[in-house]
Amino acid sequence: MDIDEIAAYCKRRGLVYPTSEIYGNYSGFYDYGPVGVEVYNNIKQLWWKTFVQSREDVVGIDGSIITHPKVWVASGHVESFHDPLTECRNCKLKWRADHVVEDSLHKPTDGLTKEQLSELIIKNKIKCPKCKGDLGEVKNFNQMFITNVGPMEGETAFLRPETAQSIFADYKSVMDSTRLKPPFGIAQIGKSFRNEISPRNFLFRLREFEQAEIEYFVKSNEKNKCVYFEDFKNLKVNVLSEEKQKQKVNDSEEMTVNMCLKRKVFNTEWHAYWTAIFYKWYLNIGINPKNLRIRQHVSEELSHYSAGTVDIEYNYPMGWKELQGIADRTTYDLKQHQEHSKQNLEYFDEETKKKELLYVAAEPSVGMDRLFLTLIFDCLVQEKERMVLKINPKLAAYKCAIFPLVNKEGLDTKARELFKALSKDFTCFYDDSGSIGRRYRRQDEIGTPYCITIDFDTIKDDTVTIRDRDSMKQDRVKISNLKNTIMNKLT
Ligand code: GAP
């Protein structure tokens, strides 16, 4: 299914709508509908449970979207958070220069400067994708949204373009209010905003989106002392190394995490571990391993703060693209904030009595909307007679749907009682209209793993049928055992 078909499916089934559509399209902004918001919240909750609540070394925060403007000066975003822009001299439409060049030459443009992009546009006579007019010189365009804080003109401030900086800006408060000792992580899920020149591919590139990020701090001399490395070193992963990309090879190879570390795909043991644990998590939540790979950034494309980055990429209909980045951010951010805020951000080691700025060995960062889209791509299957979203039951919007066979003769009353009872433990959907076959199909399309039908036998013996989404098999179960049966299936 291509991206437009996925967007149409999401709209039809109440997962995602273009925002305020009655007023026309507002590019780069979307709303989650009744089914989508449930799936989306389940993904976020599972992420938080796995990477924050189940770990003794990670704590969470929830920072404000607008921070002190100096945060963005210190972080380098005011200076260098740019995308290359080119304007059509004829129709005046603005384009992301690297995307236009990539689409036209079918070659990656990672790391090219605006001058190199301008040169490629001229040399290859690349024209405006809309009207075929001439494209202008490539300029830098800062992606941060600007707003005013306070009355009248107020003070210029920015909507945060990444959640990471709230973590660095709150770092001292977190350290002062907890007894964290390195290695430790600070995590956050929250909104980010980027004034993308050309938002595209549905939820893939948005202007308002949500990020889930962890900054993982270690002592500088312990970057290669990852206590969990043993558990992951033999994990096999698909990898596209910098070396292969420089040889113009685009196929990934299967390697163990340990082998990747030896070949310097990862910077340190901690960098390797954080990539591996997320890679494995994606497999655990059901993403097809064939659609996942780790791509090492080539040196020219590294962000200003990074000493090494790998992306976990997914094979979307529009090709292999970043799902998540894992950067080695060094001491860059703490150093910058220490300098600009004039606050001491060093960690004092009680044992050695030494002070040091802690090192961010890994920053795993994923867009929640992008992960949602990835799961839909990966799980939506068109079978011969039905479309079915084979999403992990834990992430499904509704765990069960409850159907009275007919809407009379006491079946509806019994079904409503059951809905009330089961809703205490699971998200349930009640549907009493249309044929049972149609009701099954509707639930298959939104990924409901179990459908429960109340029929005339229910009145006689207190049993119901429970139908499995994937096998379509039906079993008869006593109502008194239903909660446990569903619980067992889900776990
Ligand atoms: N703090 C590091 C950082 O922000 P990034 O690679 O720019 O790094 C991290 O973004 C992740 O955020 C990406 O891997 C992607 O999943 C998501 N993301 C970035 N820009 C996005 C956009 N315009 N729309 C949706 N998701 C986006």
Coordinates of all heavy atoms in Angstrom, one line a residue, residues 28 77 81 96 143 161-165 168 192-196 199-200 202-213 215 297 303 305 309 311-312 316 322-327 329 363-371, ligand 1:
G28 N 1.1 19.7 7.0 CA 2.1 19.3 8.1 C 1.4 19.2 9.4 O 2.1 19.0 10.4
H77 N 20.9 25.9 17.8 CA 19.8 25.9 16.9 C 19.5 27.2 16.2 O 19.1 27.3 15.0 CB 18.5 25.4 17.6 CG 18.4 23.9 17.8 ND1 19.1 23.4 18.9 CD2 17.8 22.9 17.2 CE1 18.9 22.0 18.8 NE2 18.2 21.8 17.8
F81 N 20.2 25.5 12.8 CA 19.1 24.5 12.6 C 18.4 24.9 11.2 O 17.3 25.4 11.2 CB 18.1 24.5 13.7 CG 17.2 23.3 13.7 CD1 17.8 22.0 13.7 CD2 15.9 23.4 13.7 CE1 17.0 20.9 13.7 CE2 15.1 22.3 13.7 CZ 15.6 21.0 13.7
R96 N 12.3 22.2 -0.6 CA 13.5 21.8 0.1 C 14.5 21.3 -1.0 O 14.2 20.4 -1.7 CB 13.2 20.7 1.0 CG 13.6 21.1 2.4 CD 13.5 20.1 3.5 NE 14.8 19.3 3.6 CZ 15.0 18.5 4.6 NH1 14.1 18.4 5.5 NH2 16.1 17.8 4.6
Q143 N 14.5 26.4 10.7 CA 13.2 25.7 10.9 C 12.5 26.0 12.1 O 11.4 25.4 12.4 CB 13.5 24.2 10.9 CG 13.9 23.6 9.6 CD 14.0 22.1 9.8 OE1 13.0 21.4 10.1 NE2 15.2 21.6 9.7
P161 N 12.2 22.8 18.8 CA 12.3 21.9 17.7 C 12.8 20.5 18.0 O 12.8 19.6 17.2 CB 13.3 22.6 16.8 CG 14.2 23.3 17.8 CD 13.4 23.7 19.0
E162 N 13.2 20.3 19.3 CA 13.5 19.0 19.8 C 13.2 19.0 21.3 O 13.3 20.1 21.9 CB 14.9 18.6 19.5 CG 16.0 19.4 20.2 CD 17.4 18.9 20.1 OE1 17.6 17.9 19.4 OE2 18.3 19.5 20.8
T163 N 12.8 17.8 21.9 CA 12.6 17.8 23.3 C 13.9 17.8 24.1 O 13.9 18.1 25.3 CB 11.7 16.6 23.7 OG1 12.3 15.4 23.2 CG2 10.3 16.7 23.1
A164 N 15.0 17.3 23.5 CA 16.2 17.1 24.1 C 16.7 18.3 25.0 O 17.2 18.2 26.1 CB 17.3 16.8 23.1
Q165 N 16.5 19.5 24.4 CA 17.1 20.7 25.1 C 16.4 21.0 26.4 O 17.0 21.5 27.4 CB 17.0 21.9 24.2 CG 18.0 21.9 23.0 CD 19.4 21.5 23.4 OE1 20.0 22.0 24.4 NE2 20.0 20.7 22.6
F168 N 18.4 19.0 28.9 CA 19.7 19.6 29.2 C 19.4 20.9 30.1 O 20.2 21.1 31.1 CB 20.5 20.0 28.0 CG 20.9 18.8 27.2 CD1 20.5 18.7 25.9 CD2 21.7 17.8 27.8 CE1 20.9 17.6 25.1 CE2 22.1 16.7 27.0 CZ 21.7 16.6 25.7
S192 N 7.2 18.6 19.6 CA 8.2 19.4 19.0 C 7.7 20.0 17.7 O 6.7 19.5 17.2 CB 9.4 18.5 18.6 OG 10.1 18.1 19.7
F193 N 8.3 21.1 17.3 CA 7.7 21.9 16.2 C 8.9 22.2 15.2 O 9.9 22.7 15.6 CB 7.1 23.2 16.6 CG 5.9 22.9 17.6 CD1 6.2 22.7 18.9 CD2 4.6 22.9 17.1 CE1 5.1 22.4 19.8 CE2 3.6 22.6 18.0 CZ 3.8 22.4 19.3
R194 N 8.7 22.0 13.9 CA 9.6 22.4 12.9 C 8.9 22.9 11.7 O 8.0 22.3 11.2 CB 10.5 21.2 12.5 CG 11.3 20.6 13.6 CD 12.3 19.5 13.2 NE 12.9 19.0 14.4 CZ 13.7 17.9 14.4 NH1 14.0 17.3 13.3 NH2 14.2 17.5 15.6
N195 N 9.3 24.1 11.3 CA 8.7 24.7 10.2 C 9.2 24.1 8.9 O 10.0 24.8 8.2 CB 8.9 26.3 10.3 CG 7.9 27.0 9.4 OD1 7.0 26.4 8.8 ND2 8.0 28.3 9.4
E196 N 8.9 22.9 8.7 CA 9.4 22.1 7.5 C 9.0 22.9 6.2 O 7.9 23.3 6.1 CB 8.8 20.7 7.5 CG 9.1 19.8 8.7 CD 10.6 19.3 8.6 OE1 11.2 19.4 7.6 OE2 11.0 18.7 9.6
P199 N 6.5 19.8 4.2 CA 6.1 18.6 4.9 C 5.5 17.6 3.9 O 4.8 18.0 3.0 CB 5.0 19.1 5.9 CG 4.6 20.5 5.4 CD 5.7 21.0 4.6
R200 N 5.8 16.3 4.1 CA 5.2 15.4 3.1 C 5.2 14.0 3.6 O 5.7 13.7 4.7 CB 6.0 15.5 1.8 CG 7.5 15.1 1.9 CD 8.1 15.2 0.5 NE 9.5 14.9 0.5 CZ 10.1 14.7 -0.6 NH1 9.6 14.9 -1.8 NH2 11.4 14.4 -0.6
F202 N 2.5 12.3 4.5 CA 1.5 12.0 5.6 C 2.2 12.3 7.0 O 2.7 13.4 7.2 CB 1.0 10.6 5.4 CG -0.2 10.2 6.3 CD1 -1.2 11.1 6.7 CD2 -0.3 8.9 6.8 CE1 -2.2 10.7 7.5 CE2 -1.4 8.5 7.6 CZ -2.3 9.4 7.9
L203 N 2.2 11.3 7.9 CA 2.7 11.6 9.2 C 4.3 11.5 9.3 O 4.9 11.7 10.3 CB 2.2 10.5 10.2 CG 0.7 10.4 10.4 CD1 0.4 9.3 11.4 CD2 0.1 11.8 10.9
F204 N 4.9 11.2 8.1 CA 6.4 11.0 8.2 C 7.1 12.4 8.5 O 8.0 12.4 9.3 CB 6.9 10.4 6.9 CG 8.3 10.1 6.9 CD1 8.7 8.9 7.5 CD2 9.3 11.0 6.4 CE1 10.1 8.6 7.6 CE2 10.6 10.7 6.5 CZ 11.0 9.5 7.1
R205 N 6.7 13.4 7.8 CA 7.4 14.7 8.0 C 6.3 15.8 8.3 O 5.6 16.2 7.4 CB 8.2 15.1 6.8 CG 9.1 16.3 7.0 CD 10.1 16.5 5.9 NE 11.0 15.3 5.7 CZ 12.0 14.9 6.5 NH1 12.2 15.6 7.5 NH2 12.7 13.9 6.2
L206 N 6.2 16.1 9.6 CA 5.2 17.0 10.1 C 5.8 18.3 10.6 O 7.0 18.4 10.8 CB 4.5 16.3 11.3 CG 3.7 15.0 11.0 CD1 3.4 14.3 12.3 CD2 2.4 15.3 10.2
R207 N 4.9 19.3 10.7 CA 5.4 20.5 11.4 C 5.2 20.5 12.9 O 5.9 21.1 13.6 CB 4.7 21.7 10.7 CG 5.2 22.0 9.3 CD 4.5 23.2 8.7 NE 5.2 23.6 7.5 CZ 4.7 24.0 6.3 NH1 3.4 24.0 6.2 NH2 5.4 24.3 5.3
E208 N 4.2 19.8 13.3 CA 4.0 19.6 14.7 C 4.0 18.1 15.0 O 3.2 17.3 14.3 CB 2.6 20.1 15.2 CG 2.3 19.8 16.6 CD 0.9 20.4 17.1 OE1 0.4 21.3 16.4 OE2 0.4 19.9 18.0
F209 N 4.9 17.6 15.8 CA 5.0 16.1 16.1 C 5.4 15.9 17.5 O 5.7 16.8 18.2 CB 5.9 15.5 15.0 CG 7.3 16.1 15.0 CD1 8.3 15.4 15.6 CD2 7.5 17.3 14.3 CE1 9.6 16.0 15.6 CE2 8.8 17.8 14.3 CZ 9.9 17.2 14.9
E210 N 5.5 14.6 17.8 CA 5.9 14.3 19.2 C 7.1 13.5 19.2 O 7.2 12.6 18.3 CB 4.7 13.6 19.9 CG 4.8 13.7 21.4 CD 3.4 13.5 22.1 OE1 2.6 12.7 21.5 OE2 3.2 14.0 23.1
Q211 N 8.1 13.8 20.1 CA 9.3 13.0 20.1 C 9.4 12.3 21.5 O 8.9 12.8 22.5 CB 10.5 13.9 20.0 CG 10.7 14.5 18.6 CD 12.0 15.3 18.6 OE1 12.2 16.2 19.4 NE2 12.9 15.0 17.6
A212 N 10.0 11.1 21.5 CA 10.4 10.4 22.7 C 11.9 10.3 22.7 O 12.5 9.7 21.8 CB 9.7 9.0 22.7
E213 N 12.5 10.9 23.7 CA 14.0 11.0 23.7 C 14.5 10.7 25.0 O 13.9 10.9 26.1 CB 14.4 12.4 23.3 CG 13.9 12.9 22.0 CD 14.7 14.1 21.4 OE1 14.6 15.2 22.0 OE2 15.4 14.0 20.5
E215 N 18.3 11.2 27.1 CA 19.7 11.6 27.1 C 20.4 10.7 28.1 O 20.0 10.7 29.3 CB 19.9 13.0 27.5 CG 19.1 14.0 26.6 CD 19.5 14.0 25.1 OE1 20.7 13.7 24.9 OE2 18.6 14.1 24.3
H297 N 25.5 7.1 10.0 CA 25.7 8.3 9.3 C 27.1 8.5 8.7 O 28.0 8.1 9.3 CB 25.4 9.5 10.2 CG 24.0 9.8 10.5 ND1 23.5 11.1 10.8 CD2 22.9 9.0 10.4 CE1 22.2 11.0 11.0 NE2 21.8 9.8 10.8
S303 N 25.2 15.8 12.6 CA 24.7 17.1 13.2 C 25.8 17.8 13.9 O 26.8 17.1 14.3 CB 23.6 16.9 14.2 OG 22.6 16.1 13.6
Y305 N 26.3 18.6 16.8 CA 26.6 18.2 18.2 C 27.1 16.8 18.2 O 27.4 16.3 19.3 CB 25.3 18.3 19.1 CG 24.1 17.7 18.4 CD1 24.0 16.3 18.4 CD2 23.1 18.4 17.9 CE1 22.9 15.7 17.8 CE2 22.0 17.8 17.4 CZ 21.8 16.5 17.3 OH 20.7 15.9 16.7
T309 N 26.5 9.0 14.7 CA 25.1 8.8 14.8 C 24.7 7.5 14.0 O 25.3 7.3 12.9 CB 24.3 10.0 14.3 OG1 24.5 11.1 15.1 CG2 22.8 9.7 14.3
D311 N 21.1 5.6 12.5 CA 19.6 5.6 12.4 C 19.1 4.2 12.4 O 19.7 3.3 11.7 CB 19.2 6.3 11.1 CG 19.4 7.8 11.1 OD1 19.6 8.4 12.2 OD2 19.4 8.4 10.1
I312 N 18.0 4.0 13.0 CA 17.3 2.7 12.8 C 16.3 3.1 11.7 O 15.5 4.0 11.8 CB 16.6 2.2 14.0 CG1 17.6 1.9 15.1 CG2 15.7 1.0 13.7 CD1 17.0 1.3 16.4
Y316 N 10.1 2.0 4.1 CA 8.7 2.6 3.7 C 8.5 2.4 2.2 O 9.4 2.2 1.5 CB 8.7 4.1 4.1 CG 8.9 4.3 5.6 CD1 10.2 4.7 6.1 CD2 7.8 4.3 6.5 CE1 10.3 4.9 7.4 CE2 8.0 4.6 7.8 CZ 9.3 4.9 8.3 OH 9.5 5.1 9.6
E322 N 14.7 7.2 7.9 CA 15.0 7.2 9.4 C 13.7 7.0 10.1 O 12.7 7.8 10.0 CB 15.6 8.5 9.7 CG 15.7 8.7 11.2 CD 16.3 10.1 11.6 OE1 16.8 10.8 10.7 OE2 16.4 10.4 12.8
L323 N 13.7 6.0 11.0 CA 12.6 5.9 12.0 C 13.1 6.5 13.3 O 12.4 7.3 13.9 CB 12.3 4.4 12.2 CG 11.5 4.0 13.5 CD1 10.1 4.7 13.5 CD2 11.3 2.5 13.6
Q324 N 14.3 6.2 13.7 CA 14.9 6.7 15.0 C 16.3 7.0 14.8 O 17.0 6.3 14.1 CB 14.7 5.6 16.0 CG 15.6 5.7 17.2 CD 15.1 5.0 18.4 OE1 14.2 4.2 18.3 NE2 15.6 5.4 19.6
G325 N 16.8 8.0 15.5 CA 18.3 8.3 15.5 C 18.8 8.0 16.8 O 18.1 8.2 17.9
I326 N 20.1 7.6 16.9 CA 20.8 7.4 18.1 C 22.1 8.0 18.0 O 23.0 7.5 17.3 CB 20.9 5.9 18.5 CG1 19.6 5.2 18.6 CG2 21.6 5.7 19.9 CD1 19.2 4.3 17.4
A327 N 22.3 9.2 18.7 CA 23.5 10.0 18.5 C 24.4 9.9 19.7 O 23.9 9.8 20.8 CB 23.1 11.5 18.2
R329 N 26.2 12.4 21.6 CA 26.2 13.8 21.7 C 27.3 14.4 22.5 O 27.3 15.6 22.7 CB 24.8 14.3 22.3 CG 23.8 14.5 21.3 CD 22.5 15.1 21.9 NE 22.4 16.6 21.6 CZ 21.4 17.1 21.0 NH1 20.3 16.4 20.7 NH2 21.3 18.4 20.7
E363 N 21.8 9.3 22.6 CA 20.5 10.0 22.6 C 19.6 9.2 21.7 O 19.6 9.5 20.5 CB 20.7 11.4 22.2 CG 19.4 12.2 22.2 CD 19.4 13.3 21.2 OE1 19.6 13.1 20.0 OE2 19.1 14.4 21.6
P364 N 18.9 8.2 22.2 CA 17.9 7.6 21.3 C 16.7 8.6 21.2 O 16.2 9.0 22.1 CB 17.5 6.3 22.1 CG 18.3 6.3 23.3 CD 18.9 7.6 23.5
S365 N 16.3 8.8 19.9 CA 15.2 9.8 19.7 C 14.3 9.3 18.6 O 14.8 9.1 17.4 CB 15.9 11.1 19.3 OG 14.9 12.0 18.8
V366 N 13.1 9.2 18.9 CA 12.1 8.7 17.8 C 10.9 9.6 17.8 O 10.5 10.1 18.9 CB 11.7 7.2 18.1 CG1 11.0 7.0 19.4 CG2 10.9 6.7 16.9
G367 N 10.3 9.8 16.6 CA 9.1 10.5 16.5 C 8.0 9.6 16.7 O 7.9 8.5 16.1
M368 N 7.1 9.9 17.7 CA 6.0 9.0 18.0 C 5.0 8.8 16.8 O 4.5 7.8 16.6 CB 5.2 9.5 19.2 CG 5.9 9.1 20.5 SD 5.7 7.4 20.8 CE 7.2 7.0 21.6
D369 N 4.8 10.0 16.1 CA 3.9 9.9 15.0 C 4.5 9.0 13.9 O 3.8 8.3 13.2 CB 3.6 11.3 14.4 CG 3.3 12.3 15.5 OD1 4.3 12.8 16.2 OD2 2.2 12.6 15.7
R370 N 5.8 9.1 13.7 CA 6.5 8.3 12.7 C 6.4 6.8 13.1 O 6.3 6.0 12.2 CB 7.9 8.8 12.6 CG 8.5 8.4 11.2 CD 9.9 9.0 11.0 NE 9.9 10.4 10.6 CZ 11.0 11.0 10.2 NH1 12.1 10.4 10.3 NH2 10.9 12.3 9.8
L371 N 6.6 6.6 14.4 CA 6.5 5.2 14.8 C 5.1 4.6 14.6 O 4.9 3.5 14.2 CB 6.9 5.1 16.3 CG 6.8 3.7 17.0 CD1 7.6 2.7 16.2 CD2 7.4 3.8 18.4
Ligands
GAP1 N1 17.2 15.4 19.5 C1 17.7 14.8 18.3 C2 16.7 15.0 17.2 O1 15.8 15.7 17.3 P1 16.2 14.3 14.7 O2 16.9 13.2 13.9 O3 16.1 15.6 14.1 O4 17.1 14.3 16.1 C3 14.6 12.6 15.9 O5 14.8 13.8 15.2 C4 13.4 11.8 15.4 O6 12.3 12.7 15.5 C5 13.5 11.3 14.0 O7 14.2 10.1 13.9 C6 12.0 11.2 13.6 O8 11.5 10.0 14.1 C7 11.4 12.3 14.4 N2 11.2 13.5 13.5 C8 12.1 14.5 13.2 N3 11.6 15.4 12.4 C9 10.3 15.0 12.2 C10 9.2 15.6 11.5 N4 9.3 16.7 10.8 N5 8.0 14.9 11.5 C11 7.8 13.8 12.2 N6 8.8 13.2 12.9 C12 10.0 13.8 12.9

